[in-house]
Amino acid sequence: MDFSLSEEHLMIRDAARDFAKTELLPGVIERDNKQEFPTEQVKKMGELGFMGLMVDPKYGGSGMDTLSYVIVMEELSKIDASASVIVSVNNSLVCYGLEAYGTEDQKEKYLTKLATGQSIGAFCLSEPEAGSDATSQKTTAIDKGDHYVLNGTKNWITNGGTADYYLVIAQTDREKKHKGINAFIVEKGWEGFEIGPKEDKLGIRGSDTHSLIFNDVKVPKENRIGEDGFGFKFAMKTLAGGRIGIAAQALGIAAGAYDLAREYSKVRKAFGTEICNHQAIAFKLADMHTEIEAARHLVHKAAWDKDQGNNYDMSGAMAKLYASKVAMEVSVEAVQVHGGNGFVKEYHVERLMRDAKITQIYEGTSEIQKIVISRGLLRD
Ligand code: CAA
């Protein structure tokens, strides 16, 4: 067993680390305050190949493995979790979904633009009444021969306002329950497709979250992904990989908060010495570091499973469940180490604490991860 990263993995880590420090850090507080999408930064991440990290170079991607992807996600998330969720959704939900299950025409038309960051993608499964209970889709896609007609509402869609292409899950045949669900590629600007107001959020405020409304939107049949009725499986299979990306995001948030707490504890003085010399603080750092290291092992193991062609439903769910808990706990402790300064925006830790919460909610809540894990354990 070899725990060291290869030269290539170290290079991509350093490139992502450098990008996060030079391009994401300046302005991250202002973007959070104003809920401003990092348009310029996303463009640059496209140029660096971060928007299609795992996609085959023949479709414009970087052709890297899942381990590279989680390494990049960790580095970006240490500084700016709003930017990293844009990367995560584009890579592991949209690009992966199209590359694994799309037709050659769909890949030519859409994936090539998404993988280079020329276009941005969104993944639209959640609805006002179908969050965790994802089979209860109310959005309908009625088969009209050469096209489908889409009606309904999607909620909490990441990249909702900024995306160019949307993967939309909808019910075609209610009698067939989840086997009557389909997935479609929908383009921004199609008649009847409306973007709802932007959500005012607790965290990841630089990312763009909207509801979407479909009113008799005509979707050509060639924009359906996979066979008729494949939509729910498509969503589940795609989300299994997405959860590895969000686990890496949570890991990055925790690691970023820990880095700030450690540095602060070495300069802040109380009772005549730097606070890191007090066991009350040193033990916090020890706990934080240990938990982060454990989370990193779970995240890398899930990525390794995917790269090996192993099933990664359970390892991805375990990584997300654990890393998101660590992100929450470590970021709260990092604020505590900073004392009064932790409550102030310029020290960054309060933002990381707010950003951490969503990692326990999106791409399957922690409770849903426990369903996936326990079902996996009890299957045989
Ligand atoms: N791979 C392949 N198929 C799968 C699967 C997987 N990982 N998981 C489930 N399925 C299949 C099952 O085999 C079953 O098909 P068959 O009947 O043919 O066997 C079918 O899907 C239905 O499965 P279940 O009976 O297990 O369905 P369920 O109603 O009990 O729900 C669930 C399962 C795991 C709870 C699922 O509903 C779920 O994952 N819910 C959470 C949804 C979620 O993660 N939403 C996130 C929104 S996207 C987002 O947040 C993106 C963003 O913007 C950041």
Side-chain angles (χ1 to χ4, degrees):
M1 194 177 293
D2 183 359
F3 284 100
S4 55
L5 295 177
S6 68
E7 277 302 310
E8 267 183 16
H9 289 128
L10 290 172
M11 269 169 63
I12 185 80
R13 183 197 67 187
D14 292 347
R17 190 172 283 177
D18 185 53
F19 178 82
K21 286 213 174 109
T22 55
E23 303 287 344
L24 295 178
L25 187 57
V28 66
I29 293 173
E30 289 72 19
R31 290 194 299 276
D32 174 71
N33 276 338
K34 295 189 202 149
Q35 292 219 97
E36 194 177 291
F37 188 85
T39 309
E40 273 310 301
Q41 292 78 0
V42 170
K43 197 165 160 259
K44 287 182 183 161
M45 288 195 285
E47 286 158 10
L48 283 170
F50 291 176
M51 298 304 280
L53 277 159
M54 296 170 286
V55 176
D56 192 319
K58 78 175 172 189
Y59 301 118
S62 304
M64 292 187 186
D65 57 10
T66 315
L67 188 55
S68 305
Y69 167 57
V70 297
I71 289 169
V72 169
M73 278 299 295
E74 178 182 343
E75 293 305 324
L76 302 179
S77 308
K78 282 180 182 172
I79 306 284
D80 187 352
S82 295
S84 73
V85 72
I86 299 162
V87 171
S88 181
V89 167
N90 202 71
N91 273 276
S92 50
L93 296 183
V94 180
C95 286
Y96 173 79
L98 283 174
E99 188 167 22
Y101 304 108
T103 62
E104 222 27 64
D105 285 350
Q106 289 169 348
K107 290 180 201 178
E108 277 299 316
K109 187 166 176 191
Y110 299 111
L111 181 59
T112 48
K113 292 188 190 146
L114 289 159
T116 52
Q118 266 176 278
S119 302
I120 296 176
F123 183 83
C124 317
L125 173 68
S126 303
E127 297 187 354
E129 292 171 65
S132 292
D133 185 8
T135 57
S136 292
Q137 293 289 308
K138 297 271 188 306
T139 299
T140 53
I142 303 305
D143 190 342
K144 297 283 185 188
D146 65 341
H147 67 276
Y148 288 85
V149 175
L150 203 57
N151 276 292
T153 302
K154 294 287 171 185
N155 263 33
W156 313 293
I157 303 303
T158 304
N159 300 340
T162 41
D164 304 280
Y165 305 127
Y166 299 77
L167 305 189
V168 182
I169 315 297
Q171 187 84 47
T172 296
D173 187 341
R174 205 163 293 287
E175 301 257 291
K176 291 189 184 157
K177 300 190 176 157
H178 67 269
K179 290 186 172 130
I181 291 176
N182 278 309
F184 303 93
I185 308 161
V186 175
E187 297 183 20
K188 180 183 253 160
W190 279 358
E191 207 180 330
F193 176 16
E194 227 181 278
I195 294 164
K198 187 169 173 162
E199 300 291 352
D200 188 1
K201 305 189 302 265
L202 171 75
I204 55 159
R205 288 169 56 82
S207 80
D208 178 38
T209 309
H210 288 256
S211 54
L212 305 174
I213 304 113
F214 303 96
N215 263 319
D216 288 334
V217 179
K218 265 176 87 170
V219 182
K221 206 148 224 178
E222 63 264 24
N223 277 32
R224 189 185 72 208
I225 302 172
E227 294 294 303
D228 185 27
F230 180 63
F232 193 72
K233 282 230 152 106
F234 169 79
M236 290 297 108
K237 282 173 179 284
T238 306
L239 274 168
R243 288 167 183 162
I244 303 176
I246 299 303
Q249 181 190 42
L251 167 65
I253 292 171
Y258 163 77
D259 286 348
L260 290 169
R262 191 194 54 215
E263 290 315 305
Y264 184 82
S265 75
K266 291 199 287 196
V267 293
R268 171 75 180 180
K269 287 188 176 167
F271 304 103
T273 183
E274 288 77 15
I275 60 172
C276 61
N277 296 323
H278 297 299
Q279 234 176 31
I281 301 298
F283 279 13
K284 279 190 198 300
L285 296 177
D287 283 340
M288 289 157 106
H289 183 74
T290 306
E291 285 177 10
I292 290 166
E293 196 63 9
R296 191 175 287 116
H297 285 313
L298 282 175
V299 172
H300 286 199
K301 167 65 166 54
W304 181 84
D305 274 338
K306 185 159 179 283
D307 288 334
Q308 296 300 309
N310 300 339
N311 184 296
Y312 49 92
D313 289 356
M314 264 179 80
S315 54
M318 290 194 294
K320 182 179 183 293
L321 175 68
Y322 190 75
S324 60
K325 181 168 157 283
V326 170
M328 209 56 246
E329 288 172 1
V330 166
S331 59
V332 167
E333 284 297 70
V335 170
Q336 193 68 15
V337 169
H338 280 74
N341 282 330
F343 214 60
V344 173
K345 292 196 182 222
E346 74 173 280
Y347 284 83
H348 296 278
V349 278
E350 65 79 36
R351 186 185 70 257
L352 290 167
M353 185 183 83
R354 287 186 285 107
D355 289 347
K357 186 60 207 169
I358 191 63
T359 65
Q360 294 184 306
I361 298 173
Y362 58 20
E363 301 205 21
T365 61
S366 296
E367 292 74 14
I368 290 296
Q369 306 313 321
K370 289 183 191 179
I371 292 180
V372 174
I373 298 162
S374 56
R375 284 184 183 174
L377 289 175
L378 300 170
R379 192 163 291 135
D380 307 323

